[in-house]
Amino acid sequence: MIRIAVIGYGYWGPNLVRNFQETQDACMAVCCDMNPQRLEQVHTKYPWVELTTEYDKVLKSPEVEAVAVATPVATHYEFARKALEHGKHVLVEKPIAASVAEAESLCDIAAKRNLTLMVNHTFIYTGAVRKMKEIIQHGDLGDLYYFDSVRINLGLIQHDVNVLWDLAPHDIAILDHLVEERPVSVCANGACHIGNGLENVAYLTVYFNTGLIAHFHNNWLAPVKIRTVLVGGSKKMILYDDMEISEKVKIYDRGIEVSDPEHLHHTLIAYRLGDMWAPKLDQTEALRYVTQEFIDCIQTGRRPLTDSISGLNVVGILEASEMSIKRRGREVKL
Amino acid sequence: MIRIAVIGYGYWGPNLVRNFQETQDACMAVCCDMNPQRLEQVHTKYPWVELTTEYDKVLKSPEVEAVAVATPVATHYEFARKALEHGKHVLVEKPIAASVAEAESLCDIAAKRNLTLMVNHTFIYTGAVRKMKEIIQHGDLGDLYYFDSVRINLGLIQHDVNVLWDLAPHDIAILDHLVEERPVSVCANGACHIGNGLENVAYLTVYFNTGLIAHFHNNWLAPVKIRTVLVGGSKKMILYDDMEISEKVKIYDRGIEVSDPEHLHHTLIAYRLGDMWAPKLDQTEALRYVTQEFIDCIQTGRRPLTDSISGLNVVGILEASEMSIKRRGREVKL
Amino acid sequence: MIRIAVIGYGYWGPNLVRNFQETQDACMAVCCDMNPQRLEQVHTKYPWVELTTEYDKVLKSPEVEAVAVATPVATHYEFARKALEHGKHVLVEKPIAASVAEAESLCDIAAKRNLTLMVNHTFIYTGAVRKMKEIIQHGDLGDLYYFDSVRINLGLIQHDVNVLWDLAPHDIAILDHLVEERPVSVCANGACHIGNGLENVAYLTVYFNTGLIAHFHNNWLAPVKIRTVLVGGSKKMILYDDMEISEKVKIYDRGIEVSDPEHLHHTLIAYRLGDMWAPKLDQTEALRYVTQEFIDCIQTGRRPLTDSISGLNVVGILEASEMSIKRRGREVKL
Amino acid sequence: MIRIAVIGYGYWGPNLVRNFQETQDACMAVCCDMNPQRLEQVHTKYPWVELTTEYDKVLKSPEVEAVAVATPVATHYEFARKALEHGKHVLVEKPIAASVAEAESLCDIAAKRNLTLMVNHTFIYTGAVRKMKEIIQHGDLGDLYYFDSVRINLGLIQHDVNVLWDLAPHDIAILDHLVEERPVSVCANGACHIGNGLENVAYLTVYFNTGLIAHFHNNWLAPVKIRTVLVGGSKKMILYDDMEISEKVKIYDRGIEVSDPEHLHHTLIAYRLGDMWAPKLDQTEALRYVTQEFIDCIQTGRRPLTDSISGLNVVGILEASEMSIKRRGREVKL
C-alpha cells in the first residue's frame, strides 16, 4: 500500500484524489493546499484524508511515500524537487516544469535517488491514443508524413503562460508518444490580443529529419471547440476527433501510390480510396490508468509510460517554441 | 455585345464557356486549345463557336474584344500579356501570374492601354464570401484578431507548383477581399513526401501590423476534405464551412471582455456566449457573377471587384511564402 | 425550510438528493431505500441525512413535509398515494403512475388535501425546451403542423415496460408542454425481438383536431444515439438536437407560402428559405429548477409547471399507445 | 444495338437520354414529349436524335425496340401498356404504375409477349445499396429486426400524389430489394396542411411475419434534408446516410446478447459494442447501371434486378398505405 499526498486541490486535484482513492495498492493519505476552504471540500468527501496547508509537513511525514503535484506550472519544479529530495516518488501535472533546465534537474535528482518521476500526460492513457499507438507501432500507416493537431475553443485564458504552454502539451505529448523519430527544430507564430504579451492564438511547426512534419494550432478565442489530430502515412491515415462521442478514432485506407518517383508525371500517381474503420475504444477514464501506472512503477521500479524523459521532450519543444514565436517563426534547433 | 475568346478548354475552361454563353451582353465567339479533341467537345455543345489551335488567330481577330485565360499557371503571363498588347480585355484564372514581376508587368500594360484586367478569384463572388464581407464591413466583428483557413483533401497533385500555389490562392484572395489591413510579412513551413521537391503539405502565416494574424493550412494528402475559414474579432466570430450544404456561414456572438487590460487578473476577463446566426446565402453560381462583372467592367470602364491589384496581392504572398518555406519559416517581408 | 425525504436511491435518486441539498429553503432530511448498501453511499456523501429502509417511518415522521419518489414505475402510485394520505407534498419521477386510473386517483387525493403533487418531467426545465416554449408561445412558428421526435440508442432494456413507456415520456411531456392543443387519438406500432413480449422498437402517432400531428420513434437497439425533435409550423420550424454540445435549438425561417389554397397549382406555392438562428441557452442543470419549483409551489400553493395534469396527460397517451400497439395501430381515442 | 425511345423530357428524361447515349449496345433513337420547346433542348445537345410530339409515331416505328417512360405517374400505365402491346421492351420510372391493378396488367402483358418490363428503382443500383445487399445476403446482420427510413426536406410539393407516393418508393424499393421476407400488412398515418387533401407529412409501418418491422417517415415541409436508413439485426446494424459525401454506409458491430430468453432478467442481457466499418463504395452514377441492365436484359432475356415484380411490390405497399392513412392507421393486409 503506497501512501499518497496530493499537492494542490484546485481544478485538477479533485480528479487525482478521486482516482487515487479508487486505485489498488494506493492510499490517499494527505491533501495539501494553501487554501483552507478547498481542504474543507476534501474533508466533506473524504473525511479520513489528513489535511494541511503546509508542504513541509508532507515532506517530513515518513508515512507519505509518494507525492502528486497539481499546482500552477511555475511551481512544479519547487514542489517536485523538494519531494524527490525527501525521498518521495513524484507524479507531476503536465508540463513537467517551466523550463528545460528545471526538467533536467528533476530528471537528475530522480535518477540519482532511484525514485519514480512521472509526468501526467493524461491523453496517453486514453483508449483513443492507445489504439493509435497500437496501429502505428504495427506499421499500418507506413512512413509517417504529417501529424496535424488543432485544439481550439473559447476557453479560460491563463495569465502566466501563452496558449501553447497551456494547450499544446497535450498534443505534443501525443506526438512524442506515437512517433519514434526525434524532432530537430521548431518554428512558431502567434499573436496576442489581450494586452498582456502572452499569445492567445499560436501555430507551431515541428521538423523531423525523416520528412515527418508536425503542426499544432492552439487558440483561446475560437467560437467553436475543435480537438482533432490527423496523422498521415504513406499507407493509411488516422483522424482522431476527441469531440466525437463515439468513433473518436477513424483509420482511412487512403493514399497515393507513386509508381516512379524519378520521372514524375500525372499518370504515375494513383489515388487509392479504400475503407474507413473506427475501432472500438476502451472507455475507462484515462486518469485511472495514470494513477495505477504510478503505483505500479513505484512498486516494480520500472519506468512509467510517461516518464520524465517524455516530460522533458515536451518542455523542450515548448521552450523552443517560445524563442521562435518572439522572433516571428525563426527556426530554433532542439 | 462583347465578343469573348476562351483560351484553354481543360478542367476549368468548360465552366467559363458555359457561363459566358449565359451572360448578358457577352458572346462566346472563339475557343482556343492546343488539343483538337477538346475543341471537338466544344463543337458538340456549342456548334456556333469558332475553334482554333492557334492563339495568334485569336490575337489578330479584330472581332474578339476580350480574352479569358484558363491555361496552366506558368503560361498565364504570356497569354495575358499578348492579349493586352493586342488591345484585348483580359480575365485570368487564379493566380494571375507565376511571379510578382509578371503580375506587375500585366498591371502596367493594362493600365497604360486602359484595358480591363481581371483575375478570377471565384470565391469572392460566392454568396458566402459576399455575406461575410457585408458583415465585416459593417463592423460587426469589431477589431479583427485572426483569419484561419484550412483547405485539405486527398486531391490531384500538381506537378508544376507546390500545394500553397495550388490551394492557398482561394483563401488568400478571400483574406485580401475581407480585410482592409495590408499584410507586412509571411512565414511558411511545409514538407514534400512525393520526391519532386514540391511541398504537398504546407502552413503559411501572414502578419499584419494591426495585430491581425492569418494562417493557411493546405494538404493534398489528407484523408478527409475540409474547407473552413475562421475569422475572429473582438465582438463576434465567423465560421465559414464550405463543405456544409446549407448554413455555410455561421456568425457567433461570442468573445471575451477585458475590463482592465492594465491590471490583468482572472476576474477581469468575462466570457460572452451569445446566439449563433446563419444567414440565408445567395445560391447563384459564383462564376456567373464573375463573367457578368468582367463584361460590366469592360462596358463601364470601372475596376473589377477582383482587379489586377488583388491578383498582385495574392501572388505577392505566394512568392514570399515560397522563399520562406525554403528557409524553414524565416520571416519574409512583403 | 421544507424537510424532504427521497424514496429510492438507485439510478436517479442520487441526483435528486444532490439537487435538494443545494436548493434554497429545502433540507434533505431522510433517504429511504430497501437496500442498506445504497444507504451507505448516502451516508458517505451526506452524513447528516437520516437513513431508513422502512417507508412507514418516513410517513409517520412529522418533520418530513415532502416526499420525492424515485422508485420503479409500477410502485409510483403506492408510494405517492401513501405520502399524500399522510399529508405530505409529493414529487414523482416520470411517468407519474402506471395507468390513468392511478394517475387520476393521485390527482384527486392531492386536490382534496390541498397538497402539491408534481411530476418530474425534467426536460421541461432545460434551457432548450424553455427557449422553444418561449418561441412557440410568442407565435413565431405560426400554425403548428407537426411535432416529430426520435429518441433511440443502444440502451439498457427495461424488463417491466416497453420502449414507449421507458423513452417516450420525455418527448410526450415536451409535446404536452409546448402545444396548447389537446390530442384526440393515438396509433402505435412496434415489434418485440427479445422474447419477452415488450416492444423494443416502437412508433407512436398522436392526432389533434387542429391538423397538428405528433410522432414518436423509440428504439433500444439502435447503433447510434439520436435525440431530436422537429417542430414544423406555417411560418418557422425548430430542430432541437439534444446530442449537440452547443446550438441544441435551431430555428429555421423556412416554409412555403400557399397563395391560393382554393386553386392549387405548382405556381402558387412559393418556397421560402431564410436565416437559421441558434439562440444562447441557459446551461443550468434542469433538475436544479425542478427541485426549486417543487419547494416554491409548496411554499406558495401555486400549481407546478409540471403538475399532476401534465403527468396524467402523458400517462393517458402511453396507456392508449399500449392498447393501439397490441392491435397493430388501431386508432385509440383519448 | 438496341434502338431506344425516351418518352417525357421533363425533370428526369434528360438523365435517361444522357445515360442511354453512353450505354454500350444502346442507341438513343427517338425522344417524344408533348412540349416542342423541350424537344429543342434535346436537339441542341443530341442533334441526331429523332424528335416527335406524337407517341403513336414511336409505337409504329419498327426501328424502336425499347421505350423508356419518364412521364407523370398517372400516365405510366397507358404509355407502358401501349408500348408492350406494340412489342416493345419497356423501362418505367418509379412507381411502375398508379395502382396494383395497373401494375398487374403490365406484368401480364409483358409475360405473355415475353418482353422485358423493368422499373427504374434507381437507388438499387447505387454503390451504397449494392454494398448493403452484399452484407445482408452474406448474413452478417443476423436476424433482421427493423428497417427504419427517413426521407424529409423542404421539397417540391407534388399536386397529384401525397408525400408517400412521391418519396417513399425509393425506400420501399430498397426494403424490397434487401430483405427476402414478404410483408403482410401496413399501417399509415399522416396529415395534410396545404388544403388539397394530399398528406404532406406521413408515417408508414410495414409488418412482416418474421418479426421484422419497417417504417418510413416522409415530409415535404422539413427544415433540414435527411435521408437515412437504419437496418438493425441481431448481430450487426447498418446506418445508410445518403447525405454523407463519403462514408454513406456504416456497419456497426453492435447489439445485445440474450443468453436465456425464457427467463429474462437484467443480468442475462449483455451489450456488445464493437467496431464500426465504412466500406469503400462504387461511385458510378446509378443510372448508368440502370440503362446497362435494361439493355442486357433485352439482349439475354433474363429478368432485370428491378423487374416488374419489384415494381408491383412497391405499388402494393403504396396502395395499401393510402387506404390505411385515410382510416387513421387501420391495418391493411397485403
Side-chain angles (χ1 to χ4, degrees):
Chain A
M1 194 66 106
I2 312 287
R3 294 179 63 84
I4 306 282
V6 167
I7 316 305
Y9 198 76
Y11 170 67
W12 195 244
N15 295 323
L16 281 173
V17 172
R18 177 172 49 79
N19 276 281
F20 274 121
Q21 183 58 30
E22 293 166 0
T23 300
Q24 218 183 349
D25 290 344
C27 168
M28 247 324 291
V30 186
C31 189
C32 173
D33 196 294
M34 290 185 306
N35 185 333
Q37 281 179 316
R38 286 181 184 159
L39 292 179
E40 240 170 79
Q41 292 170 27
V42 182
H43 184 68
T44 307
K45 288 202 171 173
Y46 315 96
W48 54 86
V49 171
E50 202 181 315
L51 308 173
T52 180
T53 57
E54 294 169 52
Y55 189 42
D56 264 6
K57 285 204 181 151
V58 176
L59 295 173
K60 285 171 187 159
S61 162
E63 290 193 332
V64 171
E65 288 169 73
V67 161
V69 177
T71 59
V73 177
T75 66
H76 282 184
Y77 174 65
E78 280 305 309
F79 282 111
R81 182 181 59 79
K82 283 183 182 161
L84 291 168
E85 286 173 355
H86 282 77
K88 298 180 193 316
H89 305 284
V90 173
L91 170 67
V92 192
E93 282 312 297
K94 64 90 199 165
I96 195 169
S99 72
V100 169
E102 284 182 3
E104 282 176 341
S105 164
L106 292 180
C107 289
D108 284 354
I109 303 171
K112 273 180 202 145
R113 294 187 165 250
N114 213 20
L115 291 166
T116 294
L117 173 58
M118 175 166 160
V119 60
N120 188 358
H121 292 157
T122 318
F123 274 92
I124 305 309
Y125 299 86
T126 57
V129 174
R130 284 187 291 128
K131 180 59 76 176
M132 290 166 75
K133 177 72 182 175
E134 185 187 316
I135 290 163
I136 291 173
Q137 211 159 23
H138 192 259
D140 292 0
L141 263 58
D143 297 332
L144 292 185
Y145 286 169
Y146 60 84
F147 175 101
D148 181 89
S149 110
V150 180
R151 188 175 293 264
I152 65 177
N153 67 320
L154 192 62
L156 192 67
I157 290 176
Q158 302 296 320
H159 295 275
D160 45 351
V161 292
N162 72 10
V163 73
L164 285 178
W165 275 92
D166 181 38
L167 298 181
H170 297 302
D171 301 298
I172 299 176
I174 293 173
L175 169 71
D176 179 73
H177 180 64
L178 292 183
V179 314
E180 299 289 326
E181 296 89 341
R182 290 300 92 207
V184 292
S185 64
V186 312
C187 301
N189 301 280
C192 170
H193 305 104
I194 323 176
N196 63 354
L198 297 169
E199 292 80 9
N200 48 269
V201 50
Y203 302 95
L204 165 64
T205 303
V206 177
Y207 283 101
F208 292 76
N209 276 338
T210 57
L212 173 63
I213 187 169
H215 190 266
F216 304 84
H217 171 201
N218 295 121
N219 190 341
W220 278 326
L221 295 185
V224 286
K225 189 171 183 175
I226 302 181
R227 293 180 169 195
T228 56
V229 174
L230 270 175
V231 187
S234 55
K235 292 184 187 162
K236 294 195 180 175
M237 298 168 185
I238 296 177
L239 170 58
Y240 163 36
D241 185 345
D242 201 42
M243 298 307 294
E244 284 270 337
I245 290 169
S246 48
E247 286 92 49
K248 283 180 191 288
V249 173
K250 292 176 180 155
I251 298 107
Y252 293 87
D253 183 18
R254 288 179 193 168
I256 57 158
E257 268 153 32
V258 184
S259 318
D260 181 359
E262 298 297 309
H263 306 84
L264 204 69
H265 326 262
H266 271 80
T267 48
L268 292 180
I269 293 190
Y271 288 82
R272 203 165 42 71
L273 286 173
D275 296 357
M276 182 267 270
W277 168 64
K280 181 191 170 187
L281 301 176
D282 181 351
Q283 305 280 351
T284 315
E285 186 183 3
L287 201 48
R288 183 64 46 86
Y289 287 116
V290 171
T291 52
Q292 193 62 57
E293 173 80 357
F294 185 47
I295 298 300
D296 288 355
C297 290
I298 292 171
Q299 290 182 326
T300 63
R302 70 168 170 84
R303 293 193 76 84
L305 189 62
T306 50
D307 63 3
S308 51
I309 300 301
S310 60
L312 180 59
N313 289 342
V314 170
V315 172
I317 288 175
L318 290 171
E319 195 175 272
S321 78
E322 212 169 346
M323 292 175 60
S324 176
I325 211 167
K326 294 302 172 204
R327 296 168 190 175
R328 289 208 160 175
R330 178 74 58 92
E331 187 184 19
V332 174
K333 305 279 182 193
L334 290 169
Chain B
M1 194 66 105
I2 311 288
R3 294 179 62 84
I4 306 282
V6 167
I7 316 305
Y9 198 75
Y11 170 68
W12 195 244
N15 295 324
L16 281 173
V17 172
R18 176 170 52 78
N19 276 282
F20 273 122
Q21 182 58 31
E22 294 166 0
T23 300
Q24 216 183 348
D25 290 344
C27 168
M28 244 327 291
V30 186
C31 189
C32 172
D33 195 293
M34 290 184 308
N35 186 333
Q37 282 180 316
R38 286 182 184 160
L39 293 178
E40 240 170 78
Q41 292 170 27
V42 181
H43 184 69
T44 308
K45 290 202 170 173
Y46 315 96
W48 55 88
V49 171
E50 201 180 317
L51 307 174
T52 179
T53 57
E54 293 169 54
Y55 189 43
D56 264 7
K57 287 205 179 150
V58 175
L59 295 173
K60 286 172 186 158
S61 162
E63 292 194 330
V64 170
E65 288 170 73
V67 160
V69 178
T71 60
V73 177
T75 67
H76 281 183
Y77 175 65
E78 279 305 310
F79 283 111
R81 183 181 58 79
K82 285 182 181 161
L84 291 168
E85 286 173 354
H86 282 77
K88 299 181 193 314
H89 305 284
V90 173
L91 171 67
V92 193
E93 282 311 299
K94 63 91 202 165
I96 196 170
S99 70
V100 169
E102 286 181 2
E104 281 176 343
S105 165
L106 294 181
C107 289
D108 284 354
I109 304 171
K112 274 181 201 142
R113 293 184 165 254
N114 212 18
L115 291 165
T116 294
L117 173 59
M118 174 167 160
V119 60
N120 188 357
H121 292 157
T122 318
F123 274 91
I124 304 308
Y125 299 86
T126 57
V129 174
R130 285 188 291 128
K131 180 59 75 176
M132 289 166 75
K133 177 72 180 175
E134 185 187 318
I135 290 163
I136 291 173
Q137 214 158 22
H138 193 261
D140 292 1
L141 263 57
D143 298 332
L144 292 185
Y145 286 168
Y146 60 84
F147 176 101
D148 180 90
S149 112
V150 180
R151 188 175 293 264
I152 65 177
N153 66 320
L154 192 62
L156 193 67
I157 289 176
Q158 303 294 320
H159 295 277
D160 47 350
V161 293
N162 71 11
V163 73
L164 285 179
W165 275 91
D166 182 37
L167 298 181
H170 297 303
D171 301 298
I172 299 176
I174 294 173
L175 169 72
D176 180 73
H177 180 64
L178 292 183
V179 314
E180 299 289 325
E181 297 89 340
R182 292 298 92 207
V184 291
S185 64
V186 313
C187 301
N189 300 280
C192 169
H193 305 104
I194 322 175
N196 63 353
L198 296 169
E199 291 79 10
N200 48 270
V201 51
Y203 301 95
L204 165 62
T205 302
V206 177
Y207 283 101
F208 293 76
N209 276 338
T210 57
L212 172 63
I213 187 169
H215 190 265
F216 303 84
H217 170 200
N218 294 121
N219 189 342
W220 277 326
L221 295 184
V224 286
K225 190 170 183 176
I226 302 180
R227 293 179 169 197
T228 56
V229 174
L230 269 176
V231 187
S234 56
K235 291 184 187 162
K236 292 195 181 177
M237 298 169 183
I238 295 178
L239 170 59
Y240 163 35
D241 185 345
D242 200 41
M243 299 306 295
E244 284 271 335
I245 290 168
S246 49
E247 286 91 48
K248 282 179 192 289
V249 173
K250 290 176 182 154
I251 298 105
Y252 293 87
D253 183 17
R254 287 179 194 169
I256 57 159
E257 270 154 30
V258 183
S259 319
D260 182 359
E262 298 298 308
H263 306 84
L264 205 68
H265 328 260
H266 272 81
T267 48
L268 292 179
I269 294 190
Y271 290 81
R272 205 166 40 71
L273 286 171
D275 295 358
M276 182 266 272
W277 169 64
K280 181 190 171 187
L281 301 176
D282 181 351
Q283 305 281 352
T284 314
E285 186 183 2
L287 201 48
R288 183 64 47 86
Y289 287 115
V290 171
T291 52
Q292 192 62 57
E293 173 80 359
F294 186 48
I295 298 301
D296 287 356
C297 291
I298 292 171
Q299 291 182 327
T300 63
R302 70 167 169 84
R303 293 194 76 82
L305 189 61
T306 50
D307 63 2
S308 50
I309 300 302
S310 60
L312 180 59
N313 289 344
V314 170
V315 172
I317 288 175
L318 289 171
E319 195 174 272
S321 77
E322 212 168 348
M323 291 175 62
S324 176
I325 210 168
K326 295 301 175 206
R327 296 169 192 176
R328 289 210 160 173
R330 177 74 59 94
E331 186 183 17
V332 175
K333 304 279 181 195
L334 290 169
Chain C
M1 194 67 106
I2 311 287
R3 294 180 63 85
I4 306 282
V6 167
I7 316 303
Y9 199 76
Y11 169 68
W12 195 244
N15 296 323
L16 282 173
V17 172
R18 176 171 51 79
N19 276 281
F20 273 121
Q21 183 58 31
E22 294 166 358
T23 300
Q24 217 182 349
D25 290 345
C27 167
M28 246 327 289
V30 185
C31 189
C32 172
D33 196 296
M34 290 185 306
N35 186 333
Q37 282 179 317
R38 286 181 183 160
L39 292 178
E40 240 171 79
Q41 292 170 28
V42 181
H43 184 68
T44 307
K45 289 202 171 173
Y46 315 95
W48 54 86
V49 171
E50 202 179 318
L51 307 174
T52 180
T53 56
E54 293 169 53
Y55 189 44
D56 263 6
K57 286 201 180 156
V58 175
L59 295 173
K60 286 172 186 160
S61 163
E63 293 193 330
V64 171
E65 287 170 73
V67 160
V69 177
T71 59
V73 176
T75 66
H76 282 183
Y77 175 64
E78 280 305 308
F79 282 111
R81 182 181 59 79
K82 284 183 183 163
L84 291 168
E85 287 174 354
H86 281 78
K88 299 180 193 313
H89 305 284
V90 173
L91 170 67
V92 192
E93 282 312 298
K94 65 89 202 165
I96 195 169
S99 71
V100 169
E102 285 181 3
E104 282 175 343
S105 165
L106 293 181
C107 290
D108 284 353
I109 303 171
K112 274 180 202 145
R113 294 186 164 251
N114 213 20
L115 291 165
T116 294
L117 173 58
M118 173 167 161
V119 60
N120 189 356
H121 291 158
T122 318
F123 275 92
I124 305 309
Y125 299 85
T126 57
V129 174
R130 284 188 291 129
K131 180 60 75 176
M132 291 166 75
K133 177 70 182 177
E134 185 188 317
I135 291 163
I136 291 173
Q137 213 158 22
H138 193 259
D140 292 1
L141 263 58
D143 296 332
L144 292 185
Y145 286 169
Y146 60 83
F147 176 100
D148 180 272
S149 110
V150 180
R151 188 175 293 263
I152 65 177
N153 67 321
L154 192 63
L156 193 67
I157 290 176
Q158 302 296 320
H159 295 276
D160 46 350
V161 294
N162 72 12
V163 73
L164 285 179
W165 275 91
D166 183 36
L167 298 180
H170 297 302
D171 301 298
I172 299 176
I174 294 173
L175 169 71
D176 180 73
H177 180 64
L178 293 182
V179 315
E180 299 288 326
E181 296 88 340
R182 290 301 90 208
V184 291
S185 65
V186 312
C187 300
N189 301 280
C192 170
H193 305 103
I194 323 175
N196 62 354
L198 296 169
E199 292 79 10
N200 48 270
V201 50
Y203 302 95
L204 165 63
T205 303
V206 177
Y207 283 102
F208 292 76
N209 275 338
T210 57
L212 172 63
I213 187 169
H215 190 265
F216 304 84
H217 170 200
N218 294 120
N219 189 341
W220 279 325
L221 295 185
V224 287
K225 189 171 182 175
I226 302 181
R227 292 180 170 195
T228 57
V229 173
L230 270 175
V231 187
S234 56
K235 292 185 187 161
K236 294 195 180 176
M237 297 168 185
I238 296 178
L239 170 58
Y240 163 36
D241 185 345
D242 200 41
M243 298 306 295
E244 283 269 339
I245 290 168
S246 48
E247 286 91 50
K248 283 180 192 289
V249 173
K250 291 176 180 155
I251 298 106
Y252 293 86
D253 183 18
R254 289 179 192 167
I256 57 160
E257 269 154 31
V258 184
S259 319
D260 181 0
E262 298 298 308
H263 306 85
L264 204 69
H265 327 262
H266 272 81
T267 47
L268 292 180
I269 293 190
Y271 289 82
R272 204 165 41 71
L273 285 173
D275 296 357
M276 181 266 272
W277 168 64
K280 181 190 170 187
L281 302 176
D282 181 351
Q283 305 280 351
T284 314
E285 186 183 2
L287 201 47
R288 182 65 46 88
Y289 287 115
V290 171
T291 52
Q292 192 64 55
E293 172 80 357
F294 185 48
I295 298 299
D296 288 357
C297 290
I298 292 172
Q299 291 183 325
T300 64
R302 69 169 170 85
R303 292 193 75 85
L305 189 62
T306 50
D307 63 3
S308 50
I309 300 302
S310 60
L312 180 59
N313 289 343
V314 170
V315 171
I317 289 175
L318 290 171
E319 195 175 273
S321 77
E322 211 168 348
M323 291 175 60
S324 177
I325 210 167
K326 294 303 174 204
R327 296 169 192 176
R328 289 208 161 176
R330 177 74 59 92
E331 187 184 18
V332 175
K333 304 279 183 194
L334 290 169
Chain D
M1 194 66 106
I2 311 288
R3 294 179 63 84
I4 306 282
V6 167
I7 316 305
Y9 198 76
Y11 170 69
W12 195 245
N15 296 324
L16 281 173
V17 172
R18 176 170 51 78
N19 276 280
F20 273 122
Q21 182 59 31
E22 293 165 1
T23 300
Q24 218 183 346
D25 290 345
C27 168
M28 246 326 290
V30 186
C31 190
C32 171
D33 196 293
M34 290 184 307
N35 185 334
Q37 281 179 316
R38 286 182 184 159
L39 292 178
E40 240 171 78
Q41 292 170 29
V42 181
H43 183 69
T44 308
K45 289 201 171 173
Y46 315 95
W48 55 87
V49 171
E50 202 179 317
L51 307 173
T52 179
T53 57
E54 294 170 52
Y55 189 45
D56 264 7
K57 287 206 179 149
V58 176
L59 295 173
K60 285 173 186 158
S61 162
E63 290 194 332
V64 171
E65 288 170 73
V67 161
V69 177
T71 59
V73 176
T75 67
H76 282 184
Y77 174 65
E78 279 305 309
F79 283 111
R81 182 181 60 80
K82 284 183 180 162
L84 291 169
E85 286 174 354
H86 282 77
K88 299 182 193 310
H89 305 284
V90 173
L91 171 67
V92 193
E93 282 312 298
K94 64 89 202 166
I96 196 169
S99 71
V100 168
E102 285 181 2
E104 281 176 343
S105 165
L106 294 180
C107 289
D108 284 353
I109 303 171
K112 274 182 202 141
R113 293 184 165 253
N114 213 19
L115 291 165
T116 294
L117 173 58
M118 175 168 160
V119 61
N120 188 357
H121 291 157
T122 318
F123 274 92
I124 305 307
Y125 298 86
T126 57
V129 174
R130 284 188 292 129
K131 179 59 78 177
M132 289 166 75
K133 176 72 180 175
E134 185 188 318
I135 290 163
I136 290 173
Q137 212 158 23
H138 192 261
D140 291 2
L141 263 57
D143 297 331
L144 292 185
Y145 286 168
Y146 60 84
F147 176 101
D148 180 90
S149 112
V150 179
R151 188 175 293 264
I152 65 177
N153 67 321
L154 193 63
L156 193 66
I157 289 176
Q158 302 295 319
H159 295 276
D160 47 350
V161 293
N162 72 10
V163 73
L164 285 178
W165 275 91
D166 181 37
L167 298 181
H170 297 302
D171 301 297
I172 299 175
I174 294 173
L175 170 72
D176 179 73
H177 180 64
L178 292 183
V179 314
E180 299 289 324
E181 296 88 341
R182 290 300 91 207
V184 292
S185 66
V186 313
C187 300
N189 300 281
C192 169
H193 305 104
I194 322 176
N196 63 354
L198 297 169
E199 291 80 9
N200 47 271
V201 51
Y203 302 94
L204 166 61
T205 303
V206 177
Y207 283 102
F208 293 76
N209 276 338
T210 57
L212 173 63
I213 187 168
H215 190 265
F216 304 83
H217 170 200
N218 294 121
N219 189 342
W220 278 326
L221 295 184
V224 286
K225 190 170 183 177
I226 302 181
R227 294 181 169 195
T228 56
V229 174
L230 269 176
V231 188
S234 56
K235 291 183 186 164
K236 293 194 180 176
M237 298 168 184
I238 295 178
L239 170 58
Y240 163 36
D241 185 345
D242 200 42
M243 298 307 294
E244 283 269 336
I245 291 168
S246 49
E247 286 91 48
K248 281 180 192 291
V249 173
K250 291 176 182 154
I251 298 106
Y252 294 86
D253 183 18
R254 288 179 193 167
I256 57 158
E257 269 155 30
V258 183
S259 318
D260 182 359
E262 299 297 309
H263 305 86
L264 204 69
H265 327 260
H266 272 80
T267 48
L268 292 179
I269 294 190
Y271 290 81
R272 205 166 41 71
L273 286 172
D275 295 358
M276 182 267 271
W277 168 64
K280 182 190 171 187
L281 302 176
D282 182 351
Q283 305 280 353
T284 314
E285 185 183 2
L287 201 48
R288 183 64 46 87
Y289 287 116
V290 171
T291 53
Q292 193 62 56
E293 173 80 357
F294 186 47
I295 299 301
D296 288 356
C297 290
I298 291 172
Q299 291 182 325
T300 63
R302 69 166 170 84
R303 292 194 75 84
L305 189 61
T306 50
D307 63 1
S308 51
I309 301 301
S310 60
L312 180 60
N313 289 343
V314 169
V315 171
I317 288 175
L318 290 171
E319 195 175 272
S321 78
E322 213 169 346
M323 292 174 60
S324 177
I325 211 167
K326 295 301 174 206
R327 295 170 193 174
R328 289 212 161 171
R330 178 74 58 94
E331 186 183 17
V332 175
K333 305 279 181 194
L334 291 169

